Amino acid sequence: MDRFTRNAVIGSGVLVVLLILSLLPWGGMAFGPRIWQLNAVLERDPVLAEYPYDFKALLFLNGIVTLTRPYDADVPMDEALVAMDPTLAGKPADDPAFAAARDRLQRTEFHAIGLMLAEPDVRSIVWSLDRAWLNGRRIAFPAPNPVLGGSM
């Protein structure tokens, strides 16, 4: 077998393997196209589009979607709300504007949950602190515990 024929056979083999891999189902892949589809659902929704925070799907595994949000037990909701709406800065926590902002955030979260649960292969939602969003707004958050993988 000459050099050209050998290289043609190897190249054809590589193309066949790539074609087979492209045809395999990606539903079980944690970072495959399904996560892109779930994010597209979130991005296309008009209710979420008008909200100042962009909810994102980070991971899809075994029917569980991990969604981002700008607060958790270590980062108070009010700090995130001030970052989204600077007019809340300096107002007391019991101010009606804060209450309305909290209510809108929670309604929007429930809406995002509903969108995800409407997908036939999604069974559950878990939340993850959006550290990149907080960092971009210079909001302090605790470092993750390397042993536990979560907050200290």
Side-chain angles (χ1 to χ4, degrees), residues 26-31 34-35 38 57-67 112-127:
W26 290 90
M29 298 292 290
F31 293 102
R34 184 61 178 137
I35 198 72
L38 294 172
L58 295 178
L59 182 70
F60 177 67
L61 188 60
N62 297 326
I64 301 170
V65 176
T66 302
L67 292 178
I113 290 170
L115 287 172
M116 293 294 97
L117 291 177
E119 294 294 310
D121 55 347
V122 175
R123 294 185 331 236
S124 183
I125 308 296
V126 293
W127 292 108

Side-chain angles (χ1 to χ4, degrees), residues 3 13 15 30 41 56 62 67 89 112 118-119 129 141 150:
R3 187 178 192 163
L15 287 175
V41 168
K56 291 185 178 29
N62 297 326
L67 292 178
E119 294 294 310
L129 181 63
F141 53 88

Side-chain angles (χ1 to χ4, degrees), residues 19-32:
L19 178 64
I20 290 170
L21 288 176
S22 70
L23 296 175
L24 290 175
W26 290 90
M29 298 292 290
F31 293 102

Side-chain angles (χ1 to χ4, degrees), residues 70-77 79-80 83 129-144 151:
Y71 71 95
D72 69 358
D74 295 322
V75 178
M77 183 189 290
E79 284 187 56
L129 181 63
D130 193 342
R131 294 173 181 271
W133 186 86
L134 294 169
N135 190 43
R137 282 143 189 87
R138 301 183 191 272
I139 298 174
F141 53 88
S151 301

Side-chain angles (χ1 to χ4, degrees), residues 90-105:
K91 293 185 179 180
D94 60 351
D95 188 279
F98 255 120
R102 277 188 219 102
D103 183 55
R104 182 176 180 214
L105 173 56

